Amino acid sequence: MSFAQLPAVDVAAVPSDALVLDVREDDEWAAGHVEGALHIPMSDFVARFGEVTEAVADGRRAFVMCRVGGRSAQVTQYLVQQGIDAANVDGGMQAWDGAGRPMVTDNGTAAFVL
């Protein structure tokens, strides 16, 4: 599978008000995530695809993120094939954390990348 034509961005290029689509599993999300991100695990993605189309109905670009970029690349490729403006976030949550971008948890504990 080739990702040569896959739109990708550096974490620094993700706007603070961007639509971040987090495709990690529930335990990874619980450990720490981007505030305001839409969480749809890759395992649930096809079943919950309607949530994505609703989120991008206003023409916003979806910035797709996982832990390091592999799963999000697959999801980004799928979205682009569906005609949705999407970009894979290079390095995923590890790069996000490494760049000092803010992360939150749902329960208020210190956020980390699982």
Side-chain angles (χ1 to χ4, degrees):
M1 188 179 306
S2 169
F3 298 126
Q5 302 303 312
L6 196 67
V9 297
D10 185 83
V11 291
V14 178
S16 58
D17 62 347
L19 169 62
V20 173
L21 175 60
D22 191 323
V23 299
R24 298 174 302 151
E25 296 303 315
D26 291 336
D27 57 336
E28 295 173 285
W29 168 266
H33 55 265
V34 177
E35 189 168 11
L38 175 60
H39 178 226
I40 302 180
M42 188 170 167
S43 56
D44 297 341
F45 198 78
V46 175
R48 295 178 60 191
F49 184 66
E51 292 175 54
V52 178
T53 57
E54 280 179 39
V56 300
D58 58 3
R60 284 200 294 172
R61 168 173 259 196
F63 292 88
V64 189
M65 182 131 46
C66 65
R67 188 166 64 89
V68 293
R71 288 170 289 178
S72 55
Q74 294 176 55
V75 171
T76 300
Q77 184 175 50
Y78 176 78
L79 291 173
V80 169
Q81 287 170 346
Q82 307 305 313
I84 292 173
D85 183 10
N88 188 36
V89 179
D90 282 334
M93 285 300 295
Q94 286 189 333
W96 184 272
D97 187 32
R101 303 274 322 243
M103 296 189 306
V104 296
T105 60
D106 292 335
N107 61 10
T109 58
F112 66 97
V113 178
L114 184 66

XYZ file of all heavy atoms in Angstrom:
840
model
N 0.849 -1.184 0.000
C 0.000 0.000 0.000
C 0.893 1.245 0.000
O 1.799 1.367 0.803
C -0.883 -0.011 1.256
C -1.934 1.068 1.246
S -2.997 1.053 2.712
C -3.582 -0.627 2.728
N 0.620 2.156 -0.892
C 1.452 3.347 -1.014
C 0.736 4.566 -0.464
O -0.436 4.795 -0.734
C 1.789 3.575 -2.484
O 2.370 4.841 -2.641
N 1.463 5.360 0.300
C 0.921 6.601 0.832
C 1.569 7.797 0.150
O 1.596 8.892 0.681
C 1.152 6.692 2.348
C 0.464 5.599 3.118
C 1.167 4.795 3.996
C -0.899 5.369 2.961
C 0.531 3.792 4.712
C -1.534 4.364 3.679
C -0.822 3.581 4.549
N 2.097 7.596 -1.051
C 2.841 8.646 -1.736
C 2.022 9.916 -1.947
O 2.543 11.013 -1.821
C 3.363 8.130 -3.073
N 0.753 9.759 -2.281
C -0.082 10.921 -2.554
C -0.874 11.383 -1.337
O -1.780 12.184 -1.457
C -1.059 10.606 -3.701
C -0.374 10.181 -4.990
C 0.614 11.226 -5.484
O 0.310 12.405 -5.546
N 1.818 10.799 -5.829
N -0.526 10.860 -0.174
C -1.293 11.137 1.026
C -0.985 12.527 1.577
O 0.164 12.837 1.840
C -0.938 10.086 2.083
C -1.881 9.964 3.258
C -3.232 9.425 2.785
C -1.296 9.028 4.279
N -2.015 13.372 1.739
C -1.770 14.678 2.352
C -1.315 14.493 3.799
O -1.944 13.744 4.551
C -3.128 15.373 2.305
C -3.979 14.560 1.390
C -3.415 13.177 1.386
N -0.225 15.146 4.173
C 0.298 15.019 5.526
C 0.798 16.378 6.004
O 1.237 17.194 5.198
C 1.436 13.997 5.567
N 0.701 16.590 7.309
C 1.158 17.834 7.899
C 1.964 17.545 9.159
O 1.784 16.532 9.813
C -0.011 18.783 8.260
C -0.787 19.206 7.020
C -0.941 18.150 9.270
N 2.839 18.483 9.487
C 3.590 18.434 10.727
C 2.667 18.882 11.861
O 1.766 19.698 11.640
C 4.796 19.374 10.601
C 5.699 19.291 11.806
O 6.537 18.389 11.861
O 5.532 20.148 12.707
N 2.914 18.399 13.069
C 2.058 18.788 14.197
C 2.004 20.299 14.380
O 0.972 20.840 14.766
C 2.471 18.114 15.536
C 2.201 16.630 15.501
C 3.899 18.415 15.895
N 3.095 20.983 14.087
C 3.132 22.437 14.260
C 2.176 23.150 13.307
O 1.775 24.285 13.553
C 4.559 22.953 14.054
N 1.804 22.476 12.206
C 0.937 23.085 11.203
C -0.554 22.863 11.477
O -1.392 23.359 10.732
C 1.291 22.536 9.821
N -0.884 22.129 12.545
C -2.287 21.879 12.869
C -2.825 23.093 13.632
O -2.339 23.401 14.713
C -2.444 20.599 13.728
C -3.908 20.373 14.093
C -1.878 19.394 12.985
N -3.819 23.791 13.065
C -4.364 24.966 13.756
C -4.961 24.594 15.111
O -5.462 23.482 15.284
C -5.460 25.474 12.811
C -5.181 24.831 11.488
C -4.486 23.539 11.784
N -4.924 25.528 16.063
C -5.432 25.231 17.404
C -6.933 24.952 17.397
O -7.440 24.270 18.278
C -5.112 26.377 18.364
O -5.668 27.580 17.875
N -7.651 25.462 16.388
C -9.093 25.228 16.314
C -9.454 24.166 15.274
O -10.592 24.070 14.843
C -9.827 26.537 15.990
C -9.420 27.104 14.628
O -8.415 26.640 14.043
O -10.112 28.018 14.151
N -8.467 23.371 14.886
C -8.673 22.365 13.839
C -9.579 21.241 14.301
O -9.701 20.966 15.499
C -7.327 21.779 13.413
N -10.179 20.565 13.331
C -10.899 19.331 13.604
C -9.865 18.213 13.611
O -9.330 17.839 12.568
C -11.946 19.052 12.516
C -12.574 17.652 12.556
C -13.320 17.420 13.862
C -13.481 17.442 11.363
N -9.549 17.720 14.813
C -8.607 16.605 14.956
C -9.431 15.341 15.113
O -10.313 15.262 15.969
C -7.664 16.803 16.156
C -6.803 15.557 16.387
C -6.793 18.037 15.958
N -9.172 14.379 14.247
C -9.855 13.087 14.285
C -8.879 12.066 14.850
O -7.872 11.746 14.226
C -10.302 12.700 12.876
C -10.934 11.322 12.702
C -12.183 11.178 13.558
C -11.254 11.081 11.241
N -9.156 11.597 16.057
C -8.276 10.665 16.765
C -8.802 9.252 16.541
O -9.914 8.930 16.955
C -8.265 11.012 18.250
C -7.196 10.281 19.044
O -6.933 9.097 18.746
O -6.644 10.890 19.979
N -8.008 8.401 15.874
C -8.463 7.051 15.534
C -7.845 5.973 16.428
O -7.913 4.791 16.127
C -8.200 6.734 14.034
C -8.959 7.710 13.153
C -6.715 6.751 13.691
N -7.262 6.399 17.569
C -6.685 5.429 18.501
C -7.787 4.725 19.284
O -8.928 5.151 19.303
C -5.726 6.134 19.465
C -4.539 6.780 18.754
C -3.686 7.590 19.716
N -4.508 8.622 20.351
C -4.285 9.110 21.571
N -3.277 8.671 22.298
N -5.071 10.048 22.075
N -7.403 3.655 19.958
C -8.368 2.888 20.745
C -8.678 3.614 22.063
O -8.003 4.559 22.443
C -7.840 1.470 20.992
C -7.680 0.659 19.706
C -8.975 0.542 18.893
O -10.043 0.266 19.478
O -8.917 0.732 17.662
N -9.726 3.130 22.747
C -10.227 3.808 23.938
C -9.180 4.002 25.032
O -9.143 5.050 25.676
C -11.427 3.048 24.517
C -12.656 3.131 23.603
O -12.754 4.090 22.817
O -13.518 2.239 23.704
N -8.329 2.988 25.265
C -7.334 3.113 26.334
C -6.309 4.185 25.987
O -5.849 4.932 26.857
C -6.659 1.770 26.637
C -5.977 1.139 25.431
O -6.348 1.444 24.273
O -5.063 0.314 25.632
N -5.951 4.292 24.706
C -4.998 5.310 24.277
C -5.604 6.710 24.434
O -4.954 7.646 24.890
C -4.614 5.095 22.811
C -3.859 3.797 22.562
C -3.653 3.555 21.083
O -4.634 3.178 20.389
O -2.529 3.771 20.611
N -6.873 6.839 24.039
C -7.597 8.105 24.167
C -7.665 8.535 25.635
O -7.438 9.694 25.965
C -9.002 7.940 23.585
C -9.948 9.055 23.883
C -10.845 9.128 24.904
C -10.131 10.271 23.123
N -11.572 10.302 24.829
C -11.148 11.017 23.749
C -9.527 10.785 21.968
C -11.578 12.254 23.276
C -9.960 12.020 21.492
C -10.966 12.741 22.142
N -7.988 7.569 26.518
C -8.144 7.880 27.938
C -6.848 8.405 28.545
O -6.869 9.247 29.446
C -8.624 6.639 28.697
N -5.698 7.932 28.064
C -4.407 8.344 28.614
C -4.116 9.815 28.314
O -3.504 10.513 29.131
C -3.291 7.465 28.051
N -4.553 10.289 27.150
C -4.317 11.678 26.790
C -4.686 11.926 25.343
O -4.421 11.078 24.492
N -5.326 13.084 25.090
C -5.753 13.405 23.722
C -5.803 14.915 23.524
O -5.675 15.678 24.472
C -7.120 12.768 23.424
C -8.184 13.135 24.405
N -8.473 12.338 25.483
C -9.012 14.193 24.493
C -9.447 12.901 26.198
N -9.787 14.038 25.611
N -5.994 15.303 22.285
C -6.117 16.712 21.944
C -7.500 17.192 22.384
O -8.506 16.552 22.080
C -5.945 16.918 20.418
C -6.150 18.382 20.042
C -4.579 16.418 19.960
N -7.537 18.297 23.094
C -8.820 18.822 23.564
C -9.723 19.141 22.376
O -9.292 19.743 21.397
C -8.605 20.084 24.400
C -9.877 20.541 25.079
C -9.644 21.617 26.138
O -8.530 22.166 26.200
O -10.588 21.892 26.891
N -10.977 18.675 22.476
C -11.934 18.942 21.416
C -11.861 17.998 20.234
O -12.621 18.137 19.282
N -10.959 17.036 20.291
C -10.809 16.089 19.177
C -12.038 15.191 19.069
O -12.732 14.936 20.056
C -9.560 15.230 19.367
N -12.293 14.720 17.860
C -13.348 13.740 17.616
C -12.694 12.368 17.712
O -11.747 12.080 16.987
C -13.942 13.961 16.221
C -14.994 12.955 15.733
C -16.203 12.931 16.664
C -15.424 13.304 14.310
N -13.200 11.532 18.642
C -12.589 10.217 18.871
C -13.430 9.127 18.224
O -14.536 8.845 18.673
C -12.461 9.961 20.379
C -11.885 8.631 20.701
N -12.423 7.803 21.666
C -10.829 7.974 20.191
C -11.704 6.689 21.728
N -10.736 6.766 20.847
N -12.897 8.556 17.158
C -13.532 7.404 16.519
C -12.441 6.362 16.285
O -11.636 6.501 15.371
C -14.210 7.789 15.185
C -15.250 8.888 15.408
C -14.841 6.544 14.551
C -15.977 9.331 14.155
N -12.372 5.342 17.144
C -11.329 4.317 16.983
C -11.367 3.705 15.588
O -12.438 3.523 15.002
C -11.677 3.285 18.053
C -12.477 4.035 19.073
C -13.239 5.069 18.293
N -10.198 3.395 15.048
C -10.114 2.811 13.712
C -10.986 1.560 13.614
O -11.608 1.318 12.574
C -8.659 2.486 13.381
C -8.451 2.051 11.954
S -6.689 1.958 11.576
C -6.762 1.077 10.029
N -11.088 0.795 14.696
C -11.888 -0.432 14.681
C -13.383 -0.154 14.514
O -14.127 -1.028 14.080
C -11.630 -1.234 15.959
O -11.899 -0.435 17.098
N -13.823 1.063 14.854
C -15.238 1.446 14.726
C -15.477 2.354 13.525
O -16.581 2.840 13.317
C -15.700 2.247 15.959
C -15.643 1.449 17.245
O -15.600 0.209 17.174
O -15.646 2.075 18.311
N -14.425 2.624 12.755
C -14.462 3.734 11.813
C -15.546 3.629 10.755
O -16.286 4.582 10.531
C -13.098 3.924 11.152
C -12.970 5.277 10.535
C -12.708 6.376 11.328
C -13.178 5.467 9.190
C -12.643 7.632 10.795
C -13.109 6.727 8.635
C -12.839 7.818 9.441
N -15.652 2.492 10.106
C -16.638 2.374 9.027
C -18.056 2.517 9.584
O -18.894 3.215 9.014
C -16.443 1.059 8.246
C -17.542 0.873 7.218
C -15.078 1.068 7.562
N -18.306 1.898 10.748
C -19.631 1.966 11.357
C -20.002 3.390 11.777
O -21.175 3.756 11.769
C -19.701 1.034 12.566
N -19.003 4.192 12.131
C -19.257 5.548 12.631
C -18.883 6.627 11.616
O -18.752 7.790 11.970
C -18.489 5.746 13.948
C -19.014 4.831 15.052
C -18.227 4.977 16.340
N -18.275 6.332 16.859
C -17.491 6.759 17.859
N -16.648 5.933 18.442
N -17.572 8.004 18.282
N -18.750 6.231 10.354
C -18.322 7.152 9.302
C -19.224 8.384 9.199
O -18.770 9.484 8.899
C -18.244 6.421 7.953
C -17.718 7.267 6.847
C -16.404 7.711 6.857
C -18.534 7.632 5.790
C -15.907 8.506 5.832
C -18.047 8.426 4.752
C -16.730 8.861 4.780
N -20.521 8.219 9.477
C -21.464 9.337 9.423
C -21.078 10.479 10.353
O -21.310 11.651 10.038
N -20.451 10.152 11.500
C -20.011 11.193 12.434
C -18.923 12.051 11.799
O -18.849 13.257 12.045
C -19.494 10.566 13.729
C -20.580 9.894 14.549
C -20.007 9.175 15.752
O -19.276 9.807 16.547
O -20.289 7.967 15.909
N -18.085 11.413 10.984
C -17.016 12.149 10.313
C -17.606 13.065 9.248
O -17.260 14.249 9.172
C -15.992 11.185 9.668
C -14.913 11.970 8.932
C -15.379 10.280 10.723
N -18.523 12.534 8.438
C -19.097 13.363 7.382
C -19.854 14.543 7.973
O -19.806 15.647 7.412
C -20.010 12.537 6.442
O -21.027 11.905 7.203
C -19.216 11.494 5.689
N -20.506 14.359 9.124
C -21.171 15.484 9.795
C -20.151 16.516 10.246
O -20.370 17.718 10.089
C -21.948 14.995 11.024
C -23.294 14.394 10.709
C -23.997 13.912 11.969
O -23.907 14.604 13.013
O -24.629 12.841 11.908
N -19.040 16.050 10.811
C -18.030 16.963 11.353
C -17.371 17.806 10.264
O -16.946 18.929 10.524
C -16.974 16.172 12.125
N -17.285 17.263 9.050
C -16.625 17.998 7.957
C -17.626 18.614 6.981
O -17.245 19.118 5.929
C -15.617 17.107 7.182
C -14.523 16.604 8.107
C -16.328 15.955 6.480
N -18.911 18.599 7.347
C -19.952 19.102 6.450
C -19.749 20.572 6.094
O -20.145 21.018 5.021
C -21.336 18.895 7.071
N -19.090 21.316 6.980
C -18.840 22.735 6.720
C -17.589 22.956 5.865
O -17.140 24.087 5.694
C -18.719 23.509 8.043
C -17.614 22.967 8.949
O -16.893 22.024 8.560
O -17.466 23.500 10.068
N -17.017 21.854 5.349
C -15.854 21.978 4.480
C -14.528 21.997 5.212
O -13.475 22.180 4.606
N -14.555 21.791 6.518
C -13.304 21.781 7.288
C -12.442 20.599 6.913
O -12.934 19.541 6.564
C -13.590 21.695 8.793
C -14.058 22.981 9.391
C -13.854 22.988 10.888
N -14.712 21.992 11.548
C -14.613 21.699 12.837
N -13.723 22.287 13.590
N -15.429 20.805 13.374
N -11.148 20.789 7.042
C -10.197 19.694 6.848
C -10.119 18.885 8.133
O -10.122 19.444 9.229
C -8.821 20.270 6.509
C -7.705 19.242 6.569
C -6.400 19.798 6.065
N -6.209 19.325 4.694
C -5.048 19.359 4.054
N -3.993 19.907 4.610
N -4.942 18.884 2.830
N -10.085 17.572 7.982
C -9.898 16.693 9.134
C -8.413 16.374 9.267
O -7.775 15.950 8.300
C -10.703 15.410 8.949
N -7.862 16.611 10.452
C -6.471 16.266 10.746
C -6.501 14.947 11.500
O -6.960 14.891 12.645
C -5.800 17.371 11.569
C -5.613 18.648 10.795
C -6.608 19.608 10.760
C -4.453 18.862 10.072
C -6.444 20.787 10.034
C -4.288 20.027 9.339
C -5.278 20.993 9.318
N -6.047 13.875 10.849
C -6.197 12.521 11.390
C -4.953 12.132 12.176
O -3.825 12.309 11.715
C -6.461 11.510 10.258
C -6.837 10.146 10.842
C -7.579 12.009 9.334
N -5.185 11.580 13.385
C -4.080 11.309 14.287
C -4.238 9.958 14.964
O -5.349 9.563 15.336
C -4.058 12.408 15.353
C -2.936 12.292 16.325
S -2.007 13.807 16.603
C -3.215 15.070 16.826
N -3.112 9.260 15.113
C -3.053 8.060 15.953
C -1.821 8.219 16.839
O -1.423 9.338 17.146
C -3.049 6.779 15.112
S -1.595 6.563 14.074
N -1.188 7.130 17.236
C -0.028 7.256 18.134
C 1.208 7.729 17.380
O 1.876 8.657 17.807
C 0.250 5.929 18.848
C 1.322 6.059 19.927
C 1.361 4.861 20.831
N 1.736 3.648 20.124
C 3.002 3.228 19.968
N 3.993 3.921 20.473
N 3.258 2.127 19.320
N 1.509 7.073 16.232
C 2.710 7.461 15.484
C 2.462 7.784 14.015
O 3.336 8.304 13.343
C 3.828 6.388 15.574
C 4.370 6.283 16.985
C 3.355 5.043 15.076
N 1.288 7.469 13.499
C 0.977 7.845 12.120
C 0.590 6.740 11.170
O 0.200 7.015 10.042
N 0.669 5.468 11.588
C 0.346 4.365 10.687
C -1.146 4.167 10.469
O -1.624 4.130 9.338
N -1.888 4.052 11.585
C -3.337 3.879 11.466
C -3.980 5.112 10.856
O -4.887 5.019 10.021
C -3.960 3.600 12.843
C -3.651 2.215 13.369
C -4.073 2.063 14.814
N -3.189 2.837 15.686
C -3.329 2.934 17.003
N -4.342 2.337 17.611
N -2.477 3.618 17.724
N -3.506 6.285 11.268
C -4.098 7.521 10.747
C -3.833 7.673 9.256
O -4.660 8.227 8.528
C -3.591 8.737 11.524
O -2.190 8.809 11.526
N -2.703 7.153 8.770
C -2.426 7.204 7.328
C -3.466 6.385 6.565
O -3.957 6.813 5.516
C -1.015 6.696 7.028
N -3.814 5.215 7.099
C -4.824 4.373 6.450
C -6.181 5.064 6.440
O -6.891 5.054 5.425
C -4.932 3.024 7.167
C -3.680 2.172 7.042
C -3.809 0.900 7.856
O -4.759 0.146 7.687
N -2.863 0.664 8.745
N -6.560 5.680 7.564
C -7.841 6.369 7.651
C -7.848 7.595 6.738
O -8.833 7.860 6.042
C -8.161 6.757 9.110
C -9.374 7.672 9.178
C -8.397 5.496 9.941
N -6.734 8.333 6.714
C -6.640 9.505 5.833
C -6.824 9.089 4.381
O -7.566 9.730 3.628
C -5.290 10.223 6.019
O -5.169 10.647 7.379
C -5.188 11.443 5.095
N -6.176 7.996 3.989
C -6.304 7.514 2.621
C -7.768 7.196 2.304
O -8.279 7.563 1.243
C -5.421 6.283 2.408
C -5.441 5.800 0.963
C -4.468 4.662 0.735
O -4.461 3.690 1.489
N -3.658 4.773 -0.287
N -8.455 6.562 3.233
C -9.867 6.223 3.046
C -10.701 7.499 2.895
O -11.555 7.597 2.010
C -10.346 5.382 4.227
C -11.817 5.050 4.175
C -12.296 4.045 3.338
C -12.738 5.737 4.959
C -13.646 3.737 3.282
C -14.086 5.437 4.916
C -14.537 4.438 4.064
O -15.869 4.140 4.016
N -10.468 8.477 3.767
C -11.235 9.727 3.709
C -11.027 10.447 2.383
O -11.987 10.923 1.774
C -10.835 10.644 4.870
C -11.255 10.181 6.257
C -10.650 11.086 7.323
C -12.762 10.127 6.395
N -9.776 10.521 1.946
C -9.476 11.187 0.675
C -10.192 10.477 -0.474
O -10.751 11.115 -1.371
C -7.947 11.262 0.448
C -7.619 11.708 -0.963
C -7.318 12.218 1.471
N -10.221 9.151 -0.414
C -10.919 8.381 -1.448
C -12.416 8.677 -1.440
O -13.077 8.556 -2.465
C -10.688 6.869 -1.244
C -9.293 6.426 -1.620
C -8.995 4.992 -1.194
O -9.716 4.391 -0.402
N -7.919 4.441 -1.723
N -12.953 9.080 -0.281
C -14.373 9.421 -0.167
C -14.624 10.893 -0.514
O -15.735 11.387 -0.360
C -14.887 9.149 1.257
C -14.624 7.749 1.774
C -15.152 6.654 0.887
O -16.288 6.701 0.444
N -14.321 5.675 0.593
N -13.571 11.593 -0.928
C -13.722 12.988 -1.317
C -13.682 13.970 -0.161
O -14.086 15.126 -0.304
N -13.181 13.529 0.986
C -13.102 14.386 2.170
C -11.702 14.981 2.278
O -10.704 14.298 2.047
C -13.463 13.580 3.440
C -14.951 13.210 3.384
C -13.125 14.355 4.711
C -15.400 12.279 4.479
N -11.631 16.274 2.593
C -10.354 16.955 2.781
C -9.767 16.487 4.109
O -10.276 16.841 5.176
C -10.573 18.467 2.787
C -9.266 19.255 2.900
O -8.190 18.648 2.778
O -9.339 20.479 3.112
N -8.737 15.670 4.040
C -8.119 15.116 5.244
C -6.613 15.124 5.095
O -6.088 15.051 3.986
C -8.610 13.687 5.480
N -5.921 15.217 6.225
C -4.468 15.160 6.237
C -4.010 14.317 7.410
O -4.567 14.410 8.511
C -3.870 16.563 6.345
N -3.005 13.490 7.163
C -2.413 12.677 8.220
C -1.455 13.552 9.023
O -0.660 14.302 8.451
C -1.652 11.504 7.585
C -1.185 10.507 8.624
O -1.856 10.245 9.601
N -0.012 9.942 8.391
N -1.533 13.483 10.341
C -0.614 14.233 11.190
C 0.646 13.397 11.394
O 0.604 12.351 12.056
C -1.267 14.609 12.534
C -0.282 15.370 13.409
C -2.529 15.442 12.291
N 1.746 13.841 10.788
C 3.016 13.107 10.860
C 3.467 12.922 12.307
O 3.498 13.877 13.075
C 4.119 13.859 10.101
C 4.023 13.674 8.598
O 3.483 12.643 8.152
O 4.506 14.563 7.874
N 3.785 11.675 12.660
C 4.297 11.394 13.994
C 3.225 11.239 15.050
O 3.523 10.855 16.176
N 1.981 11.548 14.712
C 0.855 11.327 15.607
C 0.995 11.981 16.970
O 1.618 13.030 17.123
N 0.382 11.345 17.952
C 0.364 11.894 19.308
C 1.760 11.963 19.925
O 2.029 12.829 20.750
C -0.564 11.068 20.215
C -2.045 11.298 19.976
S -2.604 13.017 20.221
C -2.314 13.242 21.985
N 2.659 11.072 19.507
C 4.022 11.144 20.047
C 4.686 12.447 19.619
O 5.336 13.117 20.417
C 4.841 9.930 19.616
C 4.436 8.679 20.363
C 5.363 7.510 20.111
O 5.997 7.414 19.060
N 5.432 6.605 21.060
N 4.498 12.821 18.354
C 5.072 14.076 17.870
C 4.357 15.269 18.496
O 4.975 16.286 18.830
C 4.995 14.143 16.345
N 3.041 15.154 18.666
C 2.239 16.217 19.281
C 2.770 16.514 20.687
O 3.022 17.660 21.046
C 0.777 15.773 19.338
C -0.190 16.791 19.847
C -0.536 17.013 21.153
C -0.966 17.714 19.071
N -1.477 18.019 21.221
C -1.758 18.461 19.963
C -1.075 17.966 17.700
C -2.642 19.451 19.536
C -1.962 18.949 17.279
C -2.733 19.684 18.189
N 2.936 15.449 21.467
C 3.450 15.577 22.825
C 4.878 16.122 22.797
O 5.229 17.021 23.560
C 3.400 14.208 23.511
C 3.761 14.272 24.990
O 3.465 15.296 25.633
O 4.326 13.294 25.495
N 5.693 15.600 21.881
C 7.083 16.033 21.775
C 7.223 17.502 21.412
O 8.198 18.159 21.779
N 6.221 18.026 20.699
C 6.239 19.434 20.303
C 5.669 20.339 21.398
O 5.612 21.557 21.237
C 5.439 19.617 19.009
N 5.230 19.713 22.498
C 4.690 20.486 23.606
C 3.282 21.005 23.373
O 2.829 21.918 24.057
N 2.574 20.409 22.406
C 1.186 20.818 22.158
C 0.322 20.286 23.304
O 0.594 19.222 23.862
C 0.685 20.279 20.810
C 1.500 20.679 19.594
C 1.210 21.988 18.918
N -0.147 22.446 18.782
C -0.772 22.634 17.613
N -0.188 22.335 16.476
N -1.993 23.141 17.586
N -0.740 20.995 23.659
C -1.522 20.608 24.843
C -2.313 19.311 24.662
O -2.821 19.028 23.583
C -2.470 21.801 25.043
C -2.533 22.474 23.712
C -1.223 22.218 23.029
N -2.391 18.565 25.755
C -3.182 17.333 25.801
C -4.022 17.364 27.071
O -3.645 17.993 28.049
C -2.284 16.093 25.833
C -1.432 15.903 24.600
S -0.597 14.299 24.561
C 0.262 14.261 26.119
N -5.152 16.650 27.023
C -6.049 16.579 28.172
C -6.482 15.134 28.387
O -6.275 14.276 27.534
C -7.309 17.459 27.967
C -6.933 18.932 27.874
C -8.098 17.025 26.747
N -7.110 14.899 29.540
C -7.773 13.623 29.802
C -9.210 13.943 30.195
O -9.514 15.078 30.579
C -7.105 12.838 30.949
O -7.165 13.631 32.137
C -5.667 12.494 30.617
N -10.077 12.958 30.112
C -11.474 13.165 30.487
C -11.651 13.207 31.994
O -12.637 13.740 32.497
C -12.365 12.082 29.875
C -12.457 12.196 28.369
O -12.255 13.304 27.829
O -12.741 11.181 27.707
N -10.702 12.639 32.740
C -10.859 12.574 34.195
C -9.946 13.549 34.956
O -9.873 13.511 36.162
C -10.637 11.138 34.697
C -9.240 10.634 34.394
O -8.366 11.389 33.985
N -9.029 9.343 34.597
N -9.220 14.401 34.229
C -8.413 15.421 34.880
C -7.031 14.975 35.327
O -6.276 15.787 35.872
N -6.665 13.719 35.099
C -5.323 13.271 35.465
C -4.320 13.793 34.433
O -4.702 14.301 33.365
C -5.240 11.732 35.525
O -5.619 11.211 34.236
C -6.163 11.178 36.589
N -3.036 13.678 34.747
C -2.006 14.147 33.819
C -2.067 13.330 32.525
O -2.116 12.102 32.548
C -0.637 14.002 34.463
N -2.045 14.028 31.404
C -2.138 13.361 30.105
C -0.781 12.828 29.660
O 0.251 13.452 29.908
C -2.673 14.351 29.060
N -0.799 11.663 29.016
C 0.414 11.096 28.432
C 0.008 10.290 27.206
O -1.164 10.013 26.991
C 1.178 10.236 29.436
C 0.462 8.979 29.880
C 0.739 7.763 29.266
C -0.500 9.024 30.889
C 0.075 6.605 29.668
C -1.165 7.870 31.291
C -0.878 6.663 30.675
N 1.009 9.952 26.391
C 0.750 9.159 25.192
C 0.997 7.701 25.507
O 2.091 7.316 25.906
C 1.647 9.610 24.015
C 1.400 8.727 22.792
C 1.379 11.078 23.685
N -0.052 6.884 25.365
C 0.045 5.447 25.644
C 0.540 4.735 24.407
O 0.040 4.985 23.322
C -1.329 4.917 26.061
C -1.389 3.456 26.474
C -0.594 3.254 27.749
C -2.832 3.021 26.685
